Amino acid sequence: MISPTMQDALNTQINIEQHSAQLYLAMSAHCAANSFKGFAHWLSVQASEETAHAAKLIQFLLDRGGRLQLRAVPAPAAEFGSVIEVMEKTLEHEKGITGKISALFELAREEKDYASEITLQWYVTEQVEEEANVGEIVAQLHAVGDKGGAIWYLDSKMGKRGA
Ligand code: FEO
């Protein structure tokens, strides 16, 4: 049985993952509206990943006999600026998520909740990957700038992201 403290913290993280999904969907729509179909695709796949992150935590919570308490998901913005700004915001957001996962991991340790700790290890690793991937995209965007042909080459590359 999961402790009330851990249950509450996991419910909070589920909400954060759902908010991430909403945020990336909004960013995807913003990119699509600005003809960056590749970035729109990449962000839509990212949104699906966030939904999967939430689903994985929900399943874990239920497997531990915990209670799911879904909360209101804050509405994301609708405007995100240039493609570079979109991806910089994505990187900042992911860094914030890494902090949340680290705090959750620390809580699991304090609570001696080994099952949560092991499950959260997956998220720790995932955050390393997410920050590295988005960081690389931001670096490439800074290298090419948001004008000229190279940005469209990057856009077509982003459109090839698999599910
Ligand atoms: Fe679920 Fe992108 O962190």
Short mmCIF file of all heavy atoms in Angstrom, two decimals, residues 38-39 41-42 136 140 151-161:
data_model
loop_
_atom_site.label_atom_id
_atom_site.label_comp_id
_atom_site.label_asym_id
_atom_site.label_seq_id
_atom_site.Cartn_x
_atom_site.Cartn_y
_atom_site.Cartn_z
N GLY A 38 6.81 20.18 -39.70
CA GLY A 38 7.72 19.22 -39.08
C GLY A 38 7.82 19.43 -37.57
O GLY A 38 7.73 18.47 -36.80
N PHE A 39 7.97 20.67 -37.15
CA PHE A 39 8.02 20.96 -35.71
C PHE A 39 6.67 20.63 -35.07
O PHE A 39 6.62 20.13 -33.94
CB PHE A 39 8.39 22.43 -35.46
CG PHE A 39 9.86 22.70 -35.62
CD1 PHE A 39 10.38 23.12 -36.84
CD2 PHE A 39 10.74 22.51 -34.56
CE1 PHE A 39 11.75 23.35 -37.00
CE2 PHE A 39 12.10 22.74 -34.70
CZ PHE A 39 12.61 23.16 -35.92
N HIS A 41 4.67 18.29 -36.00
CA HIS A 41 4.62 16.83 -35.85
C HIS A 41 5.44 16.40 -34.64
O HIS A 41 4.99 15.60 -33.81
CB HIS A 41 5.15 16.16 -37.13
CG HIS A 41 5.41 14.70 -36.96
ND1 HIS A 41 4.39 13.77 -36.94
CD2 HIS A 41 6.56 14.01 -36.74
CE1 HIS A 41 4.91 12.56 -36.74
NE2 HIS A 41 6.23 12.68 -36.61
N TRP A 42 6.66 16.93 -34.54
CA TRP A 42 7.56 16.55 -33.43
C TRP A 42 6.88 16.83 -32.09
O TRP A 42 6.90 16.01 -31.17
CB TRP A 42 8.86 17.35 -33.55
CG TRP A 42 9.96 16.87 -32.65
CD1 TRP A 42 10.97 16.01 -32.96
CD2 TRP A 42 10.16 17.24 -31.25
NE1 TRP A 42 11.78 15.82 -31.87
CE2 TRP A 42 11.31 16.55 -30.81
CE3 TRP A 42 9.49 18.06 -30.38
CZ2 TRP A 42 11.80 16.66 -29.51
CZ3 TRP A 42 9.96 18.17 -29.06
CH2 TRP A 42 11.10 17.48 -28.65
N GLU A 136 19.81 19.54 -28.21
CA GLU A 136 20.45 19.42 -29.53
C GLU A 136 19.65 20.20 -30.59
O GLU A 136 20.23 20.91 -31.42
CB GLU A 136 20.52 17.93 -29.92
CG GLU A 136 21.37 17.66 -31.13
CD GLU A 136 21.42 16.17 -31.44
OE1 GLU A 136 21.89 15.41 -30.58
OE2 GLU A 136 20.96 15.80 -32.53
N GLN A 140 20.95 23.39 -32.78
CA GLN A 140 20.87 23.41 -34.25
C GLN A 140 20.12 24.65 -34.72
O GLN A 140 20.51 25.30 -35.69
CB GLN A 140 20.19 22.14 -34.76
CG GLN A 140 21.08 20.92 -34.62
CD GLN A 140 20.35 19.63 -34.98
OE1 GLN A 140 19.14 19.60 -35.16
NE2 GLN A 140 21.11 18.54 -35.09
N ILE A 151 16.37 26.39 -42.02
CA ILE A 151 15.30 26.17 -41.06
C ILE A 151 14.26 25.18 -41.63
O ILE A 151 13.70 24.36 -40.92
CB ILE A 151 14.62 27.50 -40.62
CG1 ILE A 151 13.60 27.28 -39.50
CG2 ILE A 151 13.93 28.21 -41.76
CD1 ILE A 151 14.18 27.21 -38.14
N TRP A 152 14.07 25.25 -42.96
CA TRP A 152 13.09 24.34 -43.59
C TRP A 152 13.66 22.94 -43.69
O TRP A 152 12.92 21.95 -43.61
CB TRP A 152 12.65 24.88 -44.95
CG TRP A 152 11.95 26.19 -44.77
CD1 TRP A 152 12.43 27.42 -45.10
CD2 TRP A 152 10.68 26.40 -44.13
NE1 TRP A 152 11.54 28.39 -44.71
CE2 TRP A 152 10.46 27.80 -44.13
CE3 TRP A 152 9.73 25.57 -43.56
CZ2 TRP A 152 9.31 28.36 -43.58
CZ3 TRP A 152 8.58 26.13 -43.02
CH2 TRP A 152 8.38 27.51 -43.02
N TYR A 153 14.99 22.85 -43.81
CA TYR A 153 15.61 21.52 -43.79
C TYR A 153 15.40 20.91 -42.40
O TYR A 153 15.02 19.74 -42.28
CB TYR A 153 17.12 21.62 -44.11
CG TYR A 153 17.84 20.34 -43.81
CD1 TYR A 153 17.67 19.21 -44.62
CD2 TYR A 153 18.67 20.23 -42.69
CE1 TYR A 153 18.29 18.02 -44.31
CE2 TYR A 153 19.29 19.03 -42.38
CZ TYR A 153 19.10 17.93 -43.20
OH TYR A 153 19.71 16.74 -42.87
N LEU A 154 15.64 21.74 -41.35
CA LEU A 154 15.42 21.24 -39.97
C LEU A 154 13.96 20.85 -39.78
O LEU A 154 13.65 19.85 -39.14
CB LEU A 154 15.77 22.34 -38.96
CG LEU A 154 17.18 22.39 -38.41
CD1 LEU A 154 17.28 23.43 -37.30
CD2 LEU A 154 17.61 21.04 -37.86
N ASP A 155 13.06 21.66 -40.34
CA ASP A 155 11.63 21.35 -40.21
C ASP A 155 11.31 19.98 -40.81
O ASP A 155 10.59 19.18 -40.20
CB ASP A 155 10.79 22.45 -40.88
CG ASP A 155 9.30 22.28 -40.59
OD1 ASP A 155 8.92 22.35 -39.41
OD2 ASP A 155 8.54 22.03 -41.54
N SER A 156 11.91 19.70 -41.97
CA SER A 156 11.59 18.40 -42.59
C SER A 156 12.20 17.26 -41.77
O SER A 156 11.63 16.18 -41.66
CB SER A 156 12.08 18.36 -44.06
OG SER A 156 13.47 18.29 -44.10
N LYS A 157 13.35 17.52 -41.15
CA LYS A 157 13.97 16.52 -40.28
C LYS A 157 13.09 16.24 -39.05
O LYS A 157 12.89 15.09 -38.64
CB LYS A 157 15.33 17.04 -39.80
CG LYS A 157 16.47 16.05 -39.92
CD LYS A 157 17.79 16.64 -39.53
CE LYS A 157 18.06 16.43 -38.06
NZ LYS A 157 19.34 16.92 -37.59
N MET A 158 12.53 17.30 -38.49
CA MET A 158 11.65 17.16 -37.33
C MET A 158 10.39 16.35 -37.67
O MET A 158 9.83 15.65 -36.83
CB MET A 158 11.23 18.54 -36.82
CG MET A 158 12.36 19.39 -36.32
SD MET A 158 13.05 18.83 -34.75
CE MET A 158 11.88 19.49 -33.59
N GLY A 159 9.98 16.47 -38.92
CA GLY A 159 8.78 15.77 -39.38
C GLY A 159 8.96 14.26 -39.46
O GLY A 159 7.99 13.52 -39.64
N LYS A 160 10.20 13.80 -39.33
CA LYS A 160 10.47 12.36 -39.45
C LYS A 160 10.48 11.64 -38.10
O LYS A 160 10.76 10.45 -38.04
CB LYS A 160 11.80 12.15 -40.17
CG LYS A 160 11.75 12.60 -41.64
CD LYS A 160 13.01 12.18 -42.41
CE LYS A 160 12.87 12.45 -43.88
NZ LYS A 160 12.82 13.89 -44.22
N ARG A 161 10.20 12.38 -37.04
CA ARG A 161 10.22 11.73 -35.72
C ARG A 161 9.18 10.62 -35.66
O ARG A 161 8.02 10.81 -35.96
CB ARG A 161 9.93 12.75 -34.61
CG ARG A 161 9.93 12.14 -33.22
CD ARG A 161 9.66 13.15 -32.15
NE ARG A 161 9.78 12.51 -30.86
CZ ARG A 161 9.61 13.13 -29.69
NH1 ARG A 161 9.31 14.40 -29.65
NH2 ARG A 161 9.73 12.48 -28.57
#
